[in-house]
Amino acid sequence: MAYRQGLDAETVLQAAIEMADLQGVEQLTLAALAAKLNVKTPSLYNHIKGLPDLRKQLSRRGLVLIKEAMVEAVIGKAEDDALLAAGFAYVIFARKQPGLYEAISSLPDYEDPELKEAGSQVVLFLLRILEPYGLSEEDALHVVRGFRSMVHGFASLEHRNGFRMELERDESLRRLLQTYLRGLRIAVN
């Protein structure tokens, strides 16, 4: 295999994202990635530090993109409508980018500063959505944790074919989020 002109860190990461989305992040290997890029495996080390570094990059990119998806979904919305839109954006991201979502769900190093920062940005965004509810910081963080548990659980069950009934999944998600929002309203008042 000859050196592939134009190969850079972004090209390597994009190829890894494609592979992870098709096969799963755990099945991603440097040998398979090199084959996809038509290079020898050692050539990848010009652009990444190894498989752990690549997985970290996938996790970071996933966190950045899921936040962007939620931000875009909530533009022009507030309070319940914003949280509902963020919840749908979260699950839709998991549907469209299952490998990146898997990378988010299995962060390789919770203490890595880049991953910590990217994760913090997601939390801060959700906290901003919650500001109109007038919650204390601690209460708002509990709401964010509950919100993430719900949408992650839904996305994970859906990904693993846990919803086999002939029933509209988006309607189930809507009802789940609306029930959570009603509970939040009761807790706030």
Side-chain angles (χ1 to χ4, degrees):
M1 290 183 206
Y3 172 74
R4 184 166 154 220
Q5 186 108 359
L7 188 65
D8 58 18
E10 184 60 26
T11 302
V12 171
L13 183 58
Q14 285 302 320
I17 290 169
E18 289 171 18
M19 291 181 72
D21 283 343
L22 287 173
Q23 305 165 356
V25 75
E26 292 300 319
Q27 283 64 48
L28 179 64
T29 66
L30 293 183
L33 181 59
K36 178 178 177 61
L37 292 168
N38 197 30
V39 297
K40 293 182 180 178
T41 303
S43 298
L44 294 175
Y45 288 93
N46 293 321
H47 310 288
I48 59 171
K49 296 175 187 165
L51 190 57
D53 178 56
L54 181 60
R55 288 196 173 147
K56 177 183 118 174
Q57 289 182 44
L58 288 169
S59 297
R60 185 180 175 287
R61 180 64 58 92
L63 287 165
V64 167
L65 291 178
I66 202 166
K67 179 194 168 220
E68 287 177 5
M70 288 190 291
V71 166
E72 186 174 314
V74 304
I75 291 174
K77 296 175 178 68
E79 296 185 25
D80 291 5
D81 290 339
L83 277 170
L84 190 65
F88 268 91
Y90 188 102
V91 172
I92 290 167
F93 177 86
R95 288 174 184 163
K96 289 182 177 176
Q97 302 258 217
L100 273 184
Y101 184 71
E102 186 182 349
I104 294 170
S105 300
S106 57
L107 291 175
D109 181 0
Y110 288 101
E111 296 305 316
D112 179 87
E114 289 180 29
L115 293 177
K116 233 178 179 174
E117 175 61 24
S120 292
Q121 290 303 312
V122 173
V123 172
L124 289 172
F125 168 70
L126 291 169
L127 289 173
R128 277 193 295 268
I129 292 175
L130 292 171
E131 286 175 0
Y133 293 92
L135 300 167
S136 70
E137 183 179 347
E138 182 177 331
D139 287 343
L141 285 169
H142 285 297
V143 170
V144 168
R145 186 179 278 174
F147 175 83
R148 179 173 180 246
S149 296
M150 261 188 333
V151 291
H152 170 70
F154 193 94
S156 295
L157 284 167
E158 187 175 68
H159 181 70
R160 290 179 173 81
N161 296 315
F163 300 130
R164 296 181 186 188
M165 286 185 222
E166 292 298 320
L167 196 60
E168 177 56 42
R169 287 183 226 156
D170 282 351
E171 181 59 24
S172 296
L173 177 59
R174 182 179 326 289
R175 290 180 185 205
L176 174 66
L177 290 167
Q178 287 173 334
T179 300
Y180 189 72
L181 290 168
R182 279 193 299 275
L184 177 58
R185 284 284 176 201
I186 291 168
V188 169
N189 294 326

